[in-house]
Amino acid sequence: MKIVFKYTLILSTILVFVACSSKNQPLQTVEKVDLNKYLGTWYEIARYEHFFEKDCKNVTANYSMMDEDTIKVINRCTKIQTNEKKEALGRAYATDVTNSKLKVSFFRPFYGDYWVLILDKNYDYVVVGTPNREYLWILARTSTLNEKIKNEILQKLPTLGFDTSKLTWTIQE
Protein backbone atom coordinates (compact mmCIF):
# COMPACT_ATOMS: atom_id res chain seq x y z
CA MET A 1 0.00 0.00 0.00
CA LYS A 2 2.85 2.39 0.83
CA ILE A 3 4.41 1.75 -2.60
CA VAL A 4 1.12 2.59 -4.39
CA PHE A 5 0.81 5.81 -2.36
CA LYS A 6 4.44 6.72 -3.09
CA TYR A 7 4.05 6.22 -6.86
CA THR A 8 0.73 8.05 -6.88
CA LEU A 9 2.34 11.00 -5.10
CA ILE A 10 5.28 11.07 -7.53
CA LEU A 11 2.99 10.77 -10.57
CA SER A 12 0.70 13.52 -9.22
CA THR A 13 3.65 15.85 -8.66
CA ILE A 14 4.93 15.27 -12.20
CA LEU A 15 1.46 15.89 -13.67
CA VAL A 16 1.11 19.16 -11.74
CA PHE A 17 4.43 20.44 -13.11
CA VAL A 18 3.61 19.36 -16.66
CA ALA A 19 0.12 20.86 -16.52
CA CYS A 20 1.41 24.16 -15.16
CA SER A 21 4.24 24.52 -17.63
CA SER A 22 3.88 26.48 -20.84
CA LYS A 23 4.82 25.04 -24.21
CA ASN A 24 7.20 28.01 -24.58
CA GLN A 25 10.07 28.95 -22.37
CA PRO A 26 9.87 32.39 -20.73
CA LEU A 27 10.61 35.04 -23.33
CA GLN A 28 13.89 36.91 -22.92
CA THR A 29 14.01 40.61 -23.79
CA VAL A 30 17.02 42.79 -24.52
CA GLU A 31 18.96 44.05 -21.52
CA LYS A 32 18.15 47.74 -21.92
CA VAL A 33 16.41 50.12 -24.33
CA ASP A 34 17.42 53.77 -24.50
CA LEU A 35 14.05 55.36 -25.18
CA ASN A 36 15.62 58.51 -26.62
CA LYS A 37 17.35 56.40 -29.29
CA TYR A 38 14.21 54.31 -29.84
CA LEU A 39 11.93 57.28 -30.52
CA GLY A 40 11.15 58.26 -34.08
CA THR A 41 9.80 56.44 -37.12
CA TRP A 42 10.10 52.70 -37.73
CA TYR A 43 9.09 50.91 -40.95
CA GLU A 44 7.43 47.55 -40.64
CA ILE A 45 9.38 44.85 -42.48
CA ALA A 46 7.25 41.90 -41.40
CA ARG A 47 4.55 40.96 -38.89
CA TYR A 48 2.26 38.25 -37.69
CA GLU A 49 -1.03 39.11 -39.37
CA HIS A 50 -3.74 40.53 -37.12
CA PHE A 51 -7.03 42.30 -37.65
CA PHE A 52 -5.84 45.87 -37.10
CA GLU A 53 -3.20 45.69 -39.85
CA LYS A 54 -4.93 43.26 -42.18
CA ASP A 55 -4.34 44.03 -45.87
CA CYS A 56 -2.05 46.96 -45.06
CA LYS A 57 1.06 48.18 -46.87
CA ASN A 58 3.45 51.05 -46.14
CA VAL A 59 3.12 50.41 -42.43
CA THR A 60 5.01 52.71 -40.06
CA ALA A 61 5.10 53.33 -36.34
CA ASN A 62 6.18 56.63 -34.86
CA TYR A 63 7.11 57.00 -31.19
CA SER A 64 7.50 60.28 -29.31
CA MET A 65 7.34 61.28 -25.66
CA MET A 66 4.02 62.65 -24.39
CA ASP A 67 5.36 63.26 -20.91
CA GLU A 68 8.04 61.87 -18.65
CA ASP A 69 6.51 58.36 -18.48
CA THR A 70 4.25 58.06 -21.52
CA ILE A 71 5.14 57.39 -25.14
CA LYS A 72 2.84 58.59 -27.90
CA VAL A 73 2.36 55.94 -30.60
CA ILE A 74 1.12 56.68 -34.12
CA ASN A 75 0.71 53.67 -36.40
CA ARG A 76 -0.01 54.36 -40.07
CA CYS A 77 -0.76 52.16 -43.05
CA THR A 78 -2.34 52.18 -46.49
CA LYS A 79 -4.98 49.60 -47.39
CA ILE A 80 -3.70 47.50 -50.30
CA GLN A 81 -6.98 47.33 -52.25
CA THR A 82 -8.27 50.88 -51.80
CA ASN A 83 -5.15 52.96 -51.04
CA GLU A 84 -7.10 54.35 -48.08
CA LYS A 85 -4.72 55.69 -45.43
CA LYS A 86 -5.37 54.62 -41.86
CA GLU A 87 -3.96 55.90 -38.60
CA ALA A 88 -4.18 54.59 -35.06
CA LEU A 89 -3.18 56.67 -32.05
CA GLY A 90 -2.01 55.00 -28.89
CA ARG A 91 0.15 55.32 -25.86
CA ALA A 92 2.74 53.17 -24.18
CA TYR A 93 4.71 52.99 -20.97
CA ALA A 94 7.66 50.92 -19.76
CA THR A 95 6.91 48.37 -17.05
CA ASP A 96 10.43 48.41 -15.60
CA VAL A 97 13.70 50.34 -15.68
CA THR A 98 15.09 48.34 -18.63
CA ASN A 99 12.44 49.85 -20.95
CA SER A 100 12.46 46.50 -22.81
CA LYS A 101 8.95 45.54 -21.67
CA LEU A 102 6.23 48.00 -22.51
CA LYS A 103 2.47 48.11 -22.32
CA VAL A 104 0.73 49.64 -25.33
CA SER A 105 -2.89 50.69 -25.76
CA PHE A 106 -4.91 51.80 -28.74
CA PHE A 107 -8.19 50.97 -26.96
CA ARG A 108 -7.91 52.28 -23.44
CA PRO A 109 -8.24 50.95 -20.82
CA PHE A 110 -6.92 47.77 -22.48
CA TYR A 111 -3.14 47.40 -22.75
CA GLY A 112 -1.09 44.75 -24.52
CA ASP A 113 2.49 43.62 -24.21
CA TYR A 114 5.21 45.08 -26.43
CA TRP A 115 8.50 43.37 -25.65
CA VAL A 116 11.78 44.29 -27.33
CA LEU A 117 13.39 40.94 -28.20
CA ILE A 118 16.19 41.87 -30.59
CA LEU A 119 17.61 45.37 -30.94
CA ASP A 120 20.46 46.48 -33.18
CA LYS A 121 23.21 48.28 -31.25
CA ASN A 122 22.71 51.31 -33.54
CA TYR A 123 18.92 51.11 -33.29
CA ASP A 124 18.66 50.41 -37.02
CA TYR A 125 16.30 47.43 -36.60
CA VAL A 126 14.27 45.79 -33.86
CA VAL A 127 12.16 42.70 -33.29
CA VAL A 128 9.18 43.13 -31.00
CA GLY A 129 6.82 40.44 -29.79
CA THR A 130 4.49 39.30 -27.06
CA PRO A 131 5.32 36.69 -24.40
CA ASN A 132 2.47 34.44 -25.60
CA ARG A 133 4.02 34.49 -29.12
CA GLU A 134 0.75 35.69 -30.73
CA TYR A 135 2.19 38.96 -32.07
CA LEU A 136 5.51 39.70 -33.72
CA TRP A 137 6.95 42.62 -35.67
CA ILE A 138 10.25 43.17 -37.46
CA LEU A 139 10.87 46.92 -37.77
CA ALA A 140 13.65 48.99 -39.29
CA ARG A 141 14.61 52.63 -39.63
CA THR A 142 14.43 52.27 -43.41
CA SER A 143 11.75 50.65 -45.57
CA THR A 144 14.01 47.70 -46.44
CA LEU A 145 16.24 45.43 -44.44
CA ASN A 146 19.57 43.99 -45.54
CA GLU A 147 19.18 40.29 -46.54
CA LYS A 148 22.00 39.20 -44.22
CA ILE A 149 20.33 40.86 -41.22
CA LYS A 150 16.92 39.51 -42.22
CA ASN A 151 18.35 35.97 -42.37
CA GLU A 152 20.03 36.39 -38.97
CA ILE A 153 16.69 37.44 -37.48
CA LEU A 154 14.88 34.54 -39.17
CA GLN A 155 17.41 32.09 -37.70
CA LYS A 156 17.01 33.53 -34.19
CA LEU A 157 13.18 33.64 -34.10
CA PRO A 158 12.61 29.87 -33.69
CA THR A 159 14.96 29.85 -30.69
CA LEU A 160 12.62 32.42 -29.13
CA GLY A 161 9.57 30.26 -29.85
CA PHE A 162 8.29 32.14 -32.93
CA ASP A 163 7.18 30.39 -36.11
CA THR A 164 8.74 32.20 -39.09
CA SER A 165 6.20 30.69 -41.51
CA LYS A 166 3.54 32.89 -39.91
CA LEU A 167 5.30 36.11 -40.95
CA THR A 168 3.58 38.42 -43.42
CA TRP A 169 6.16 40.49 -45.32
CA THR A 170 5.04 44.10 -45.53
CA ILE A 171 4.86 45.86 -48.86
CA GLN A 172 6.77 49.13 -48.58
CA GLU A 173 6.53 51.44 -51.61
Side-chain angles (χ1 to χ4, degrees), residues 79-80 82 91 107 136 147:
K79 297 304 269 183
I80 292 171
T82 63
R91 59 179 52 204
F107 315 102
L136 181 71
E147 284 298 315

Side-chain angles (χ1 to χ4, degrees), residues 91-151:
R91 59 179 52 204
Y93 65 90
T95 63
D96 64 19
V97 295
T98 70
N99 297 321
S100 64
K101 295 179 181 178
L102 294 99
K103 291 287 189 180
V104 178
S105 178
F106 293 94
F107 315 102
R108 276 176 301 288
F110 305 104
Y111 280 81
D113 291 311
Y114 180 102
W115 287 17
V116 179
L117 309 176
I118 300 170
L119 179 60
D120 175 58
K121 65 180 181 178
N122 296 318
Y123 289 67
D124 289 334
Y125 62 89
V126 65
V127 176
V128 179
T130 58
N132 62 7
R133 277 65 167 194
E134 287 184 30
Y135 297 99
L136 181 71
W137 295 270
I138 300 172
L139 308 173
R141 291 297 188 175
T142 59
S143 60
T144 60
L145 192 59
N146 172 295
E147 284 298 315
K148 181 179 179 236
I149 293 170
K150 187 178 359 177
N151 288 331

Side-chain angles (χ1 to χ4, degrees), residues 38-43 60-63 140-142:
Y38 197 85
L39 299 177
T41 299
W42 292 89
Y43 293 85
T60 62
N62 184 276
Y63 305 103
R141 291 297 188 175
T142 59

Side-chain angles (χ1 to χ4, degrees), residues 2-161:
K2 288 182 180 181
I3 291 176
V4 171
F5 177 74
K6 181 178 178 182
Y7 284 115
T8 303
L9 181 62
I10 291 171
L11 183 60
S12 297
T13 303
I14 290 170
L15 288 174
V16 165
F17 281 110
V18 169
C20 293
S21 68
S22 166
K23 68 177 183 171
N24 292 312
Q25 294 295 322
L27 190 56
Q28 191 69 36
T29 61
V30 298
E31 229 175 86
K32 181 109 172 112
V33 175
D34 180 338
L35 287 181
N36 288 321
K37 290 181 182 178
Y38 197 85
L39 299 177
T41 299
W42 292 89
Y43 293 85
E44 183 182 89
I45 304 301
R47 67 176 177 269
Y48 276 6
E49 191 68 87
H50 43 78
F51 78 93
F52 47 91
E53 279 188 272
K54 189 157 178 58
D55 300 320
C56 275
K57 64 181 179 178
N58 302 327
V59 180
T60 62
N62 184 276
Y63 305 103
S64 60
M65 295 305 294
M66 290 177 75
D67 59 42
E68 191 174 304
D69 299 317
T70 309
I71 301 164
K72 180 180 179 181
V73 181
I74 304 173
N75 286 352
R76 293 183 176 101
C77 79
T78 304
K79 297 304 269 183
I80 292 171
Q81 298 298 322
T82 63
N83 278 328
E84 171 193 2
K85 295 188 185 316
K86 295 183 73 175
E87 184 175 276
L89 300 175
R91 59 179 52 204
Y93 65 90
T95 63
D96 64 19
V97 295
T98 70
N99 297 321
S100 64
K101 295 179 181 178
L102 294 99
K103 291 287 189 180
V104 178
S105 178
F106 293 94
F107 315 102
R108 276 176 301 288
F110 305 104
Y111 280 81
D113 291 311
Y114 180 102
W115 287 17
V116 179
L117 309 176
I118 300 170
L119 179 60
D120 175 58
K121 65 180 181 178
N122 296 318
Y123 289 67
D124 289 334
Y125 62 89
V126 65
V127 176
V128 179
T130 58
N132 62 7
R133 277 65 167 194
E134 287 184 30
Y135 297 99
L136 181 71
W137 295 270
I138 300 172
L139 308 173
R141 291 297 188 175
T142 59
S143 60
T144 60
L145 192 59
N146 172 295
E147 284 298 315
K148 181 179 179 236
I149 293 170
K150 187 178 359 177
N151 288 331
E152 289 172 5
I153 291 170
L154 290 175
Q155 287 178 356
K156 174 101 175 162
L157 289 177
T159 67
L160 298 173

